Amino acid sequence: MSEAPVRFKTDRAVYFESHLKLAALAMGGAMLVLWLAGNPNVWIGAAAGLGAIALRGWYLRAQDLSAVWELRDGLLTGPGGRRVPLDQIETLRRIGSFVQVVTRSGDRYLIKYQADPAATIAALRRAQNTRPKDTTA
């Protein structure tokens, strides 16, 4: 009998908070570039940075907010048909609100916009430790 799946869904508030931070960084960076270039209208950098990140957030919102990773029967399944056997996970790493999953073969996956990335990592490690080890090979 299969166990109930554990789902890692995108957190809407974290998605928008991440984009606000990215917009602030883009605004400051664009203003710095214009200032270094001697442009007297550095405020245009703020508008451009904000506009670029707002457009990105709007364009990718439906895709990013619908992403769900599922952990069931020793397999981590993600959007786009991604499938990662738990015994192939070598490294779990927090990158802001993301969790990076690195496999033994070097493949990398991101579980994005997690409200509590540490809890996501803990759940994956717990699942890894409760799975019987594969003795064939």
Side-chain angles (χ1 to χ4, degrees):
M1 180 152 177
S2 123
E3 62 205 48
V6 176
R7 291 193 172 96
F8 305 109
K9 297 179 181 180
T10 298
D11 186 276
R12 183 182 201 83
V14 172
Y15 179 80
F16 288 110
E17 181 183 317
S18 294
H19 277 78
L20 285 174
K21 290 176 184 176
L22 191 57
L25 186 63
M27 292 167 69
M31 290 173 65
L32 178 64
V33 167
L34 290 175
W35 179 72
L36 290 173
N39 189 321
N41 299 311
V42 294
W43 64 270
I44 293 172
L50 178 62
I53 301 305
L55 182 63
R56 179 203 184 281
W58 172 79
Y59 185 75
L60 295 175
R61 190 181 81 195
Q63 176 184 336
D64 284 344
L65 291 177
S66 66
V68 177
W69 285 80
E70 190 172 277
L71 177 59
R72 180 195 301 229
D73 298 329
L75 191 65
L76 181 62
T77 307
R82 294 172 180 93
R83 298 169 56 89
V84 183
L86 289 179
D87 62 357
Q88 293 302 307
I89 295 175
E90 184 171 292
T91 306
L92 295 168
R93 174 179 302 129
R94 177 184 179 164
I95 304 173
S97 63
F98 297 2
V99 173
Q100 183 184 45
V101 178
V102 182
T103 64
R104 295 186 198 292
S105 63
D107 294 330
R108 297 170 192 272
Y109 304 92
L110 284 178
I111 303 174
K112 298 179 183 181
Y113 307 110
Q114 297 295 290
D116 188 354
T120 301
I121 290 172
L124 289 167
R125 287 195 174 130
R126 225 178 3 262
Q128 278 183 302
N129 293 333
T130 59
R131 298 294 304 164
K133 300 293 182 203
D134 182 12
T135 56
T136 63

